[in-house]
């Protein structure tokens, strides 16, 4: 990106005209008339919850993934809790996970009274680094006594599958389960397989900014019938049958066999999910198109590192997180974030590493640092990414980022020396 200072436009942050009149959010749902009608039909039917739409959604979702079992939950968070329960995590146990995620991924370990062990991420994908996991497994097992790692919980950050083969092998070798938090990666492919059919259990979220929405909602997929049965009971108070099964079989008897929760997804939500599922392929294709346009536009911009895609992977692009090359800029991420927001581009930051949240800082004693996650956090900016973005929206994001980065780019004087001062960036903390 080259331009002389005279070509720079005044930023909206400094009183100039913004690139857009209205804020473009970083993510949003899209619902059509078919979605609305599907919900209305259920509202007029006999079943509002745990009726035929639940079974149908689970079956169709499982078929789309290519996996035998799909168990729906009231949210991705509830699905994670179910998976932590089915992995038999409990007090005295440990689970290894990534700091570069939404806190729900690690919280499910705490819900079960077990201890999260964070391992740093790989510098290219920001996914759990198998080398770091291996180091943590060694530390945990060589500490000599009781605590046991029962699960590795990986996240497919931004929609790029984690190193599932390596992590699966590590989990296997240690008698642990691999749980994949695929909240970002519905439809992503890893070694030619869709995620959801690779780890012992895979979790999906149907929050409105995801590829498919049910309002709130989640799913666990698995190849393992026993795990699926436990998950079904766990989401229904630990009861061995549901109300519809009892009505259909003319039975009143039910037994509570484990301590579960009410984490059921409603028929209303599942009807929406079924309707949304029909559009999933098109939604994924559009997200991939947008990612390709961003990648082409930013390819030669020195101040931007675009997301890396590893060989054998086809990401689902829930997010499009760029990393700012702060060494080439006169401002930190905080100021660039504010400048883009002033241009009405709804950038966001994913994520504050989980161990930095006060709850974790106060309770999970760790002297460890996670340098890759920490460094990435200072640089990350998620650009708008959702399937209903128009060509104009994508163009606005590119124009606004160009405008803002040109303003803050370090320029060279006649002697080839940087002509901006770096002190501000180096001495400030850049939290947004
Ligand atoms: C990585 C990750 N895991 C879990 C969740 C929780 O999902 P939900 O909002 O459906 O509970 C989210 C939510 O965005 C997420 O991004």
């Amino acid at each position: 990106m080259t331009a002389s200072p005279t070509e720079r436009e005044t930023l909206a942050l400094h009183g100039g005209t913004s690139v857009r009149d209205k804020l473009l959010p970083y993510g949003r749902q899209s619902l059509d008339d078919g979605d609305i009608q599907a919900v209305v039909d259920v509202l007029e039917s006999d079943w509002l919850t745990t009726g035929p739409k639940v079974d149908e959604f689970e079956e169709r979702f499982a078929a789309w993934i290519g996996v035998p079992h799909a168990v729906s939950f009231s949210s991705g968070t509830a699905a994670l809790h179910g998976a932590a329960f089915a992995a038999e995590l409990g007090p005295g146990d440990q689970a290894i996970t990534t700091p570069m995620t939404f806190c729900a991924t690690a919280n499910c370990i705490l819900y079960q009274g077990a201890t999260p062990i964070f391992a740093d991420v790989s510098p290219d994908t920001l996914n759990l680094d198998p080398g770091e996991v291996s180091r943590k497994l060694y530390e945990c097992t060589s500490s000599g006594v009781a605590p046991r790692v029962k699960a590795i919980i990986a996240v497919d950050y931004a929609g790029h599958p984690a190193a599932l083969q390596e992590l699966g092998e590590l989990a296997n070798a240690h008698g642990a389960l691999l749980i994949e938090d695929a909240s970002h990666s519905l439809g992503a492919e890893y070694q030619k397989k869709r995620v959801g059919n690779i780890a012992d259990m895979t979790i999906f979220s149907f929050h409105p900014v995801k590829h498919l929405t049910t309002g709130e909602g989640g799913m666990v997929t698995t190849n393992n019938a026993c795990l699926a049965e436990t998950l079904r009971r766990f989401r229904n108070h630990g009861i061995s049958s549901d109300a519809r099964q009892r009505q259909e079989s003319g039975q009143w008897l039910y037994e509570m066999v484990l301590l579960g929760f009410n984490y059921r997804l409603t028929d209303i939500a599942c009807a929406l999910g079924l309707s949304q599922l029909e559009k999933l392929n098109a939604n994924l294709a559009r997200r991939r198109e947008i990612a390709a346009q961003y990648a082409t536009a930013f390819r030669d911009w020195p101040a931007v590192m675009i997301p890396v895609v590893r060989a054998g992977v086809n990401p689902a692009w829930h997010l499009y997180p760029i990393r700012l090359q702060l060494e080439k800029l006169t401002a930190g991420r905080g100021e660039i974030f504010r400048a883009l927001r002033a241009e009405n581009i709804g950038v966001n930051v994913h994520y504050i590493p989980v161990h930095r949240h006060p709850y974790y800082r106060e309770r999970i004693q760790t002297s460890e640092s996670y340098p890759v996650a920490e460094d990435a956090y200072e640089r990350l900016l998620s650009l708008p990414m959702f399937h209903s973005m128009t060509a104009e929206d994508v163009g606005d994001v590119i124009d606004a980022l160009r405008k803002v980065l040109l303003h803050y780019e370090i320029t060279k004087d006649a002697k080839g020396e940087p002509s901006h001062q770096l002190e501000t960036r180096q001495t400030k903390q850049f939290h947004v």
Side-chain angles (χ1 to χ4, degrees):
M1 205 178 20
T2 48
S4 67
T6 50
E7 288 173 87
R8 291 177 182 163
E9 293 171 66
T10 308
L11 298 184
L13 189 66
H14 301 152
T17 309
S18 59
V19 168
R20 286 175 69 91
D21 294 338
K22 237 180 107 203
L23 185 79
L24 179 71
Y26 89 91
R28 60 163 295 142
Q29 76 276 16
S30 38
L31 301 180
D32 64 17
D33 290 348
D35 295 321
I36 293 164
Q37 192 55 49
V39 170
V40 170
D41 289 347
V42 168
L43 292 175
E44 290 171 348
S45 79
D46 290 340
W47 292 94
L48 295 188
T49 190
T50 325
K53 291 293 172 198
V54 175
D55 290 348
E56 201 183 329
F57 184 41
E58 290 177 345
E59 277 160 26
R60 297 257 294 274
F61 190 88
W64 193 88
I65 298 283
V67 67
H69 309 285
V71 183
S72 59
F73 278 81
S74 52
S75 67
T77 304
L80 278 163
H81 189 184
F85 178 87
E88 297 181 9
L89 279 170
D93 296 327
Q94 298 169 325
I96 298 179
T97 193
T98 167
M100 188 46 77
T101 186
F102 183 59
C103 51
T105 314
N107 290 352
C108 74
I109 304 166
L110 294 177
Y111 296 157
Q112 285 300 111
T115 305
I117 307 285
F118 294 106
D120 208 354
V121 293
S122 301
D124 58 345
T125 57
L126 304 184
N127 278 331
L128 203 49
D129 179 343
E132 286 297 304
V133 172
S134 178
R135 193 166 68 79
K136 293 288 171 179
L137 281 165
Y138 177 75
E139 279 171 18
C140 293
T141 46
S142 61
S143 68
V145 271
R148 228 197 106 198
V149 177
K150 282 202 177 150
I152 296 172
I153 308 183
V155 171
D156 299 337
Y157 175 73
H160 186 296
L164 298 172
Q165 188 179 331
E166 294 90 329
L167 293 172
E169 285 164 7
L170 282 169
N172 243 330
H174 285 81
L177 295 185
L178 176 61
I179 299 173
E180 180 185 2
D181 181 345
S183 294
H184 295 184
S185 63
L186 174 56
E189 288 154 33
Y190 178 84
Q191 296 174 1
K192 300 202 163 62
K193 270 183 167 179
R194 279 194 177 139
V195 302
N197 184 23
I198 303 166
D200 294 298
M201 285 178 275
T202 306
I203 276 80
F204 297 93
S205 160
F206 305 136
H207 178 275
V209 293
K210 303 290 169 30
H211 306 75
L212 173 166
T213 190
T214 57
E216 297 281 1
M219 191 78 85
V220 184
T221 58
T222 179
N223 281 293
N224 183 315
C226 293
L227 290 174
E229 187 57 29
T230 303
L231 289 162
R232 279 183 205 290
R233 289 175 174 178
F234 184 76
R235 64 127 188 241
N236 186 32
H237 305 279
I239 291 173
S240 53
S241 60
D242 67 45
R244 191 166 69 106
Q245 287 165 340
R246 288 194 295 280
Q247 177 167 309
E248 283 175 358
S249 65
Q251 297 274 336
W252 59 267
L253 184 77
Y254 65 84
E255 286 181 309
M256 181 190 138
V257 291
L258 54 86
L259 185 60
F261 289 77
N262 178 355
Y263 279 157
R264 297 182 304 245
L265 192 59
T266 64
D267 259 40
I268 305 166
C270 288
L272 180 55
L274 279 162
S275 178
Q276 288 260 303
L277 195 54
E278 285 171 21
K279 289 162 272 225
L280 183 53
N281 285 322
N283 292 350
L284 276 163
R286 178 66 188 134
R287 284 172 182 264
R288 287 177 177 141
E289 207 170 62
I290 296 166
Q293 281 166 348
Y294 280 157
T296 306
F298 308 143
R299 201 171 34 212
D300 300 323
W301 293 15
V304 169
M305 177 182 170
I306 59 173
V308 169
V309 178
R310 285 193 181 179
V313 158
N314 191 7
W317 299 110
H318 163 51
L319 302 171
Y320 195 86
I322 58 166
R323 271 177 273 175
L324 297 171
Q325 302 305 86
L326 297 172
E327 302 73 12
K328 301 193 166 76
L329 294 166
T330 58
R333 192 265 311 276
E335 174 129 354
I336 290 174
F337 176 96
R338 284 188 288 278
L340 284 163
R341 280 286 178 101
E343 301 295 339
N344 274 327
I345 302 298
V347 283
N348 215 326
V349 175
H350 299 92
Y351 285 100
I352 300 165
V354 179
H355 63 276
R356 288 176 68 152
H357 287 292
Y359 187 91
Y360 277 85
R361 278 207 317 266
E362 285 157 20
R363 286 168 184 81
I364 309 296
Q365 297 296 322
T366 174
S367 53
E368 283 256 0
S369 65
Y370 306 93
V372 181
E374 299 276 350
D375 177 74
Y377 169 57
E378 299 294 333
R379 299 163 183 273
L380 280 167
L381 262 189
S382 298
L383 302 184
M385 168 59 83
F386 51 94
H387 34 265
S388 59
M389 275 177 81
T390 63
E392 203 185 346
D393 294 335
V394 177
D396 286 347
V397 176
I398 296 168
D399 287 349
L401 192 61
R402 181 187 288 111
K403 177 179 171 187
V404 167
L405 293 185
L406 275 175
H407 182 87
Y408 293 110
E409 199 178 37
I410 294 172
T411 50
K412 307 264 168 108
D413 64 17
K415 292 186 203 144
E417 298 294 324
S419 61
H420 283 88
Q421 293 299 313
L422 286 169
E423 281 93 43
T424 7
R425 198 188 74 243
Q426 286 166 340
T427 52
K428 265 199 329 200
Q429 281 277 353
F430 294 107
H431 293 275
V432 289

